[in-house]
Amino acid sequence: MAVKKRRTQAERREEAETRLLVETIKLVGECGYDGFTLADVAEAAGYSRGLPAHYFGSKEGLLARVVEYVTQDYHDSIAKNPEILHGLPALENLVHTYVRVNGAPIRTFQILTAQALVRSGLKMTMSRLTNQSLKSIEKEIRAGIELGNIRKDIDVSAHAAMIYSFLRGQLAFAAFDRDFDQEAAGKEFIETMRARLGLGN
Amino acid sequence: MAVKKRRTQAERREEAETRLLVETIKLVGECGYDGFTLADVAEAAGYSRGLPAHYFGSKEGLLARVVEYVTQDYHDSIAKNPEILHGLPALENLVHTYVRVNGAPIRTFQILTAQALVRSGLKMTMSRLTNQSLKSIEKEIRAGIELGNIRKDIDVSAHAAMIYSFLRGQLAFAAFDRDFDQEAAGKEFIETMRARLGLGN
Amino acid sequence: MAVKKRRTQAERREEAETRLLVETIKLVGECGYDGFTLADVAEAAGYSRGLPAHYFGSKEGLLARVVEYVTQDYHDSIAKNPEILHGLPALENLVHTYVRVNGAPIRTFQILTAQALVRSGLKMTMSRLTNQSLKSIEKEIRAGIELGNIRKDIDVSAHAAMIYSFLRGQLAFAAFDRDFDQEAAGKEFIETMRARLGLGN
Amino acid sequence: MAVKKRRTQAERREEAETRLLVETIKLVGECGYDGFTLADVAEAAGYSRGLPAHYFGSKEGLLARVVEYVTQDYHDSIAKNPEILHGLPALENLVHTYVRVNGAPIRTFQILTAQALVRSGLKMTMSRLTNQSLKSIEKEIRAGIELGNIRKDIDVSAHAAMIYSFLRGQLAFAAFDRDFDQEAAGKEFIETMRARLGLGN
DNA sequence: AATGAATGAGACTTCATTCAT
DNA sequence: TATGAATGAAGTCTCATTCAT
């Protein structure tokens, strides 16, 4: 009881911040980067109008945190790749994972990506995310070469860029059109990777 | 004489509108969909602050015209594919074309694409554009099968979707990072297409 | 008539700006630098709430203009010193002039002077004013030495600083207390100047 | 033991209040009367954001205490005039004292003086301070006449007002411009006083 | 036809103050 | 007693839009 009480202040703050972030993500996905007000966020989260600015300093500050939050969340879901797979199977698994992501967060992610083109604050976070993704694909390609399930004569970085381009294109589609058959395109991409990266027979 | 004058007036209007549109496109690419004012547009084009509203009625009206203009322009530049190539070579050429596009228009395109997620007016235009692109890729795959430079056992629509996903992912990168080596990723993608779509040796 | 019409736009603007400035001066004198809002200014001048920001960019911008306006006004009234007097008589006349200034503008001036201590934008304008005043006093002292109505062995800049200090202190009193007998203190100061600067008999 | 604890509590409170006041004075001097927040004060003093309101009730309450504190402090420093001097030498010493005061407290004093023009609460305190200063100057002039080191035919109150005007003007300069040569102007003023007030020879 | 003055709604942001812990 | 979470009022500033010229 005492413990709970002592924790309460910090918890209240933590909870309030999280709820504001979550509602912001929804609103960005529904209304776009500029299509909602800080007051909308507060109301949706059930707080007073001034709280978002109070916590995050500014609308841009709030959205920078949203980017972190979304990309972290996103990273976490990607990182669940089983540690058993390496090389080509791991890449195939990665494609599967991307292809299954959907819903509001993707729309938000797409919108924030576009905003990052014109807001230097967001751009840095996005760059970091992109580089991490590229590096982990490259690592997997090299692991595959090592393990012998990927051919040796591949331009590792160019190929990683190609794979990541496809995945980003997929996300753009998924955000745009719910009827788009991600599974089919993903499956086709996996076949294509096998034909290009596999050892032949 | 009167006719000439009337023409001159119409021409001047036409020129003014075009300049306003062109400057708006630049501004969207630099500042985002909502990151500029009508006065900015007017100033950049060298006219008085009131002219954009005078011509286009409202900011929304101006942006609607911008979307038309950009997608038309975009289409025109892609459509320049030589009529001589068909099937796999045509697809390879398409990749080359995309991979060479760069600069401000891409940024504007990316930004408009993101806005389309939350503006139904834009969404329709963008859907049309996407479908046209997909259809033309599918047509080329079928032509390749017909001509014998693409293997028969391909899921045409899934493969077209995959190709288009890659191209869109490429654009996203190109807009975001000027240092991204589009040529290398494009070349790699062409190799990959050959391995997957080609007839073997 | 045509001329009048052509002028009207510019005149409207000019008049609006002037009225906003004049009302701001009143408000600063009555309520202090932070004791009124831009909306108050607009309302007092009979315009819409947004106009002050529209014209002057920001509250600080408006107040910077007020400083210019007040000091200019103030300078003009000082500059009316007859060109016939030079040296000691001119200085005596200057004291008389200062000593007669009163009313709202002085309060405003005092308040802006204090704000200049913490707002670099205002500080520059104030520095300029101070230097101009000091220089013109120094000039007059030198003229007096030349003409022979001021003794030669005076530290010109130190004495100018002393005179100006007195004048500024006078203004502070005048702003603070309407009952303060400026005339008496001014007369006394003139006597004192004569005793110090004059040639003896 | 209980007593000691109680004292310790009271002392801690006293110390905290003093530190808050001192930091507020600095902040007024740096940022102006309204240019800082209660949180700024708390942070500068090393306490929690809520403490200033907790102790002083409101921002206005805090500032009222600041005025008391500053004027008291100010008085104390002026009052250190040695009791040995009287008449003209005492006045000369007073000028020296004023001329040596500098730094943050002067800025704060100037800012409070300006605020007094628009806050009746402050105005009374400032009036009292001014009157005390004037009276003590007048007293000294009379003492000088009595002692024979000041000439008899002086308008005592007008002359006191003149001296005080100079001193206040000096303070305004000192607050505004650190490079202003107070010593030189003060020395010049003392010479001037001698020429005017002294007995001649 | 074109300009630009003026409006006014609405967003962001700040921060003294209250109150639960 | 002291903290700091949360409120909410109020102000600044922006800008699409209207309208007189």
Side-chain angles (χ1 to χ4, degrees):
Chain A
M1 199 80 152
V3 174
K4 195 184 174 188
K5 268 188 183 168
R6 226 172 288 140
R7 273 199 157 186
T8 299
Q9 286 275 72
E11 279 176 353
R12 263 168 74 188
R13 165 105 192 206
E14 171 103 13
E15 190 198 328
E17 286 200 2
T18 304
R19 279 171 61 186
L20 290 173
L21 286 173
V22 168
E23 294 303 326
T24 305
I25 291 168
K26 286 188 203 162
L27 283 165
V28 171
E30 285 165 24
C31 316
Y33 192 87
D34 280 325
F36 65 96
T37 70
L38 291 183
D40 293 335
V41 173
E43 191 186 3
Y47 292 97
S48 67
R49 311 166 61 79
L51 205 61
H54 191 54
Y55 281 171
F56 302 101
S58 66
K59 192 171 183 181
E60 183 139 4
L62 168 60
L63 283 157
R65 282 289 303 275
V66 164
V67 174
E68 280 179 31
Y69 194 91
V70 169
T71 57
Q72 187 57 47
D73 200 58
Y74 171 88
H75 251 183
D76 291 350
S77 72
I78 298 300
K80 282 179 197 149
N81 266 337
E83 287 291 321
I84 320 161
L85 304 174
H86 293 292
L88 188 51
L91 292 174
E92 292 174 0
N93 194 61
L94 179 68
V95 173
H96 269 126
T97 308
Y98 263 83
V99 143
R100 272 180 209 128
V101 180
N102 55 25
I106 290 202
R107 295 165 65 87
T108 303
F109 179 75
Q110 292 295 318
I111 289 164
L112 292 175
T113 300
Q115 285 292 324
L117 296 174
V118 294
R119 314 232 178 196
S120 54
L122 300 186
K123 183 155 194 172
M124 280 172 43
T125 307
M126 284 295 171
S127 276
R128 192 157 26 90
L129 173 69
T130 299
N131 284 329
Q132 285 174 349
S133 300
L134 277 172
K135 292 301 170 207
S136 75
I137 294 172
E138 289 177 6
K139 203 184 75 182
E140 222 55 73
I141 293 174
R142 284 199 204 88
I145 292 171
E146 201 90 9
L147 288 171
N149 60 29
I150 288 181
R151 38 191 297 198
K152 289 190 168 73
D153 58 343
I154 280 290
D155 179 335
V156 175
S157 78
H159 205 85
M162 187 201 86
I163 291 174
Y164 192 53
S165 285
F166 168 76
L167 296 173
R168 286 287 289 269
Q170 282 284 108
L171 289 185
F173 268 117
F176 189 72
D177 180 4
R178 285 170 181 265
D179 295 336
F180 178 68
D181 191 344
Q182 295 180 73
E183 290 281 352
K187 209 171 147 189
E188 183 59 37
F189 189 68
I190 287 171
E191 284 305 313
T192 303
M193 281 204 300
R194 278 203 191 124
R196 171 71 173 142
L197 297 179
L199 297 179
N201 68 327
Chain B
M1 200 77 153
V3 174
K4 196 184 174 188
K5 265 187 184 172
R6 232 175 282 138
R7 262 205 136 183
T8 305
Q9 282 287 59
E11 277 172 359
R12 273 168 63 185
R13 164 123 191 187
E14 172 98 13
E15 189 202 327
E17 285 200 2
T18 303
R19 278 171 64 184
L20 290 171
L21 285 172
V22 168
E23 294 303 327
T24 306
I25 290 166
K26 285 189 203 163
L27 285 166
V28 170
E30 285 164 26
C31 315
Y33 191 81
D34 274 331
F36 62 95
T37 70
L38 290 185
D40 292 335
V41 173
E43 192 187 4
Y47 293 99
S48 71
R49 311 171 79 76
L51 208 61
H54 194 59
Y55 280 171
F56 300 101
S58 68
K59 191 172 185 181
E60 194 159 346
L62 169 61
L63 282 162
R65 287 288 303 275
V66 162
V67 174
E68 277 179 38
Y69 195 95
V70 169
T71 55
Q72 187 57 47
D73 197 60
Y74 176 84
H75 242 197
D76 291 351
S77 73
I78 298 301
K80 281 180 196 149
N81 264 336
E83 288 292 322
I84 320 159
L85 304 173
H86 293 293
L88 189 49
L91 292 175
E92 292 175 0
N93 194 61
L94 179 68
V95 172
H96 269 127
T97 307
Y98 263 82
V99 144
R100 271 178 208 132
V101 180
N102 57 23
I106 290 200
R107 296 166 65 89
T108 303
F109 181 75
Q110 291 294 317
I111 287 164
L112 293 177
T113 301
Q115 284 294 323
L117 295 173
V118 294
R119 310 222 178 199
S120 53
L122 274 180
K123 182 154 192 169
M124 281 170 46
T125 306
M126 286 297 170
S127 272
R128 195 160 16 97
L129 187 64
T130 300
N131 283 329
Q132 286 174 348
S133 300
L134 277 171
K135 292 304 169 206
S136 77
I137 295 172
E138 288 177 8
K139 201 183 76 183
E140 222 54 74
I141 294 175
R142 283 198 204 91
I145 292 172
E146 202 88 12
L147 287 172
N149 59 29
I150 290 182
R151 33 189 302 196
K152 289 189 167 74
D153 58 342
I154 280 291
D155 179 336
V156 176
S157 77
H159 205 86
M162 186 202 86
I163 290 174
Y164 193 54
S165 284
F166 167 77
L167 296 174
R168 287 286 289 269
Q170 281 284 108
L171 289 186
F173 266 117
F176 190 72
D177 179 4
R178 286 169 179 265
D179 295 337
F180 178 68
D181 191 344
Q182 295 181 74
E183 291 280 353
K187 208 172 149 191
E188 182 61 35
F189 189 68
I190 287 170
E191 284 305 313
T192 303
M193 281 205 302
R194 278 202 192 124
R196 173 66 173 146
L197 297 179
L199 297 180
N201 57 336
Chain C
M1 199 79 154
V3 174
K4 195 183 176 188
K5 267 188 184 170
R6 227 173 286 139
R7 271 196 159 189
T8 299
Q9 285 276 73
E11 276 176 355
R12 264 167 75 186
R13 167 105 191 204
E14 171 101 12
E15 189 199 330
E17 286 199 2
T18 303
R19 279 169 64 185
L20 291 172
L21 286 172
V22 168
E23 294 303 327
T24 305
I25 290 167
K26 287 186 201 163
L27 284 165
V28 171
E30 285 165 25
C31 315
Y33 192 87
D34 280 325
F36 65 95
T37 70
L38 292 182
D40 293 336
V41 173
E43 193 186 1
Y47 292 96
S48 68
R49 309 167 63 77
L51 205 61
H54 190 56
Y55 281 170
F56 302 101
S58 67
K59 192 171 182 179
E60 183 140 5
L62 167 62
L63 284 156
R65 282 290 302 276
V66 164
V67 174
E68 280 179 31
Y69 194 93
V70 169
T71 57
Q72 187 57 48
D73 200 58
Y74 171 88
H75 249 184
D76 290 351
S77 72
I78 298 300
K80 283 179 196 146
N81 264 336
E83 288 290 323
I84 319 160
L85 304 174
H86 293 291
L88 187 50
L91 292 175
E92 292 176 0
N93 194 61
L94 178 68
V95 173
H96 269 127
T97 309
Y98 263 82
V99 144
R100 273 180 206 127
V101 180
N102 56 23
I106 290 202
R107 296 166 64 87
T108 303
F109 180 75
Q110 291 296 317
I111 290 165
L112 292 175
T113 300
Q115 285 294 325
L117 296 174
V118 294
R119 313 231 178 195
S120 53
L122 300 186
K123 184 155 193 171
M124 279 171 44
T125 305
M126 284 296 172
S127 276
R128 191 155 26 91
L129 173 69
T130 300
N131 284 328
Q132 286 175 350
S133 299
L134 278 171
K135 292 301 170 209
S136 75
I137 294 172
E138 289 177 7
K139 204 183 74 183
E140 221 54 72
I141 295 175
R142 284 199 204 90
I145 292 171
E146 202 88 10
L147 288 171
N149 58 29
I150 290 181
R151 41 192 293 198
K152 290 191 167 73
D153 60 341
I154 280 290
D155 179 334
V156 175
S157 77
H159 205 85
M162 187 202 84
I163 291 175
Y164 193 53
S165 284
F166 167 76
L167 296 173
R168 286 287 288 268
Q170 280 284 108
L171 289 185
F173 268 117
F176 190 70
D177 179 3
R178 287 171 178 265
D179 296 336
F180 177 69
D181 191 344
Q182 295 181 74
E183 290 281 352
K187 209 171 148 190
E188 182 61 36
F189 189 68
I190 286 171
E191 284 305 313
T192 303
M193 281 204 302
R194 278 203 192 124
R196 172 66 173 146
L197 297 180
L199 296 179
N201 56 339
Chain D
M1 199 81 151
V3 174
K4 193 183 176 188
K5 265 188 183 168
R6 234 177 281 140
R7 262 209 136 179
T8 304
Q9 282 288 61
E11 280 173 358
R12 274 169 61 184
R13 164 120 189 189
E14 172 99 13
E15 189 201 328
E17 285 199 2
T18 304
R19 279 171 62 184
L20 289 172
L21 284 172
V22 169
E23 294 303 327
T24 306
I25 290 166
K26 284 188 203 162
L27 284 166
V28 170
E30 286 166 23
C31 316
Y33 192 82
D34 273 332
F36 61 95
T37 70
L38 291 183
D40 292 336
V41 174
E43 191 187 5
Y47 294 99
S48 71
R49 311 172 79 74
L51 209 60
H54 195 58
Y55 280 171
F56 301 99
S58 67
K59 191 173 186 180
E60 194 159 345
L62 168 61
L63 282 162
R65 287 287 303 276
V66 162
V67 174
E68 279 180 36
Y69 195 95
V70 169
T71 54
Q72 187 56 48
D73 196 60
Y74 176 85
H75 244 197
D76 291 352
S77 73
I78 297 300
K80 280 178 198 150
N81 265 335
E83 288 291 321
I84 319 161
L85 303 173
H86 293 293
L88 188 50
L91 292 175
E92 292 175 0
N93 194 60
L94 179 68
V95 172
H96 270 127
T97 308
Y98 263 82
V99 143
R100 273 178 205 131
V101 180
N102 56 22
I106 290 201
R107 297 166 65 89
T108 303
F109 180 76
Q110 291 295 317
I111 288 164
L112 293 177
T113 300
Q115 284 294 323
L117 295 175
V118 293
R119 309 220 181 203
S120 54
L122 274 180
K123 182 153 193 170
M124 282 170 45
T125 306
M126 286 296 168
S127 272
R128 194 160 17 95
L129 186 65
T130 299
N131 283 328
Q132 286 175 349
S133 300
L134 277 171
K135 293 301 170 209
S136 77
I137 293 172
E138 289 176 6
K139 202 184 76 185
E140 221 55 74
I141 293 175
R142 283 198 204 89
I145 291 171
E146 203 87 10
L147 286 171
N149 58 28
I150 289 182
R151 36 191 300 196
K152 288 188 166 76
D153 58 344
I154 280 289
D155 178 335
V156 176
S157 77
H159 206 86
M162 186 203 86
I163 292 176
Y164 193 53
S165 285
F166 168 77
L167 296 174
R168 286 286 289 269
Q170 280 283 108
L171 288 186
F173 266 117
F176 190 72
D177 180 4
R178 286 168 180 265
D179 294 338
F180 178 69
D181 192 343
Q182 296 180 74
E183 290 281 352
K187 207 171 151 191
E188 182 62 34
F189 189 69
I190 287 171
E191 285 303 315
T192 301
M193 281 203 303
R194 278 203 191 123
R196 171 68 174 144
L197 297 180
L199 295 181
N201 73 323

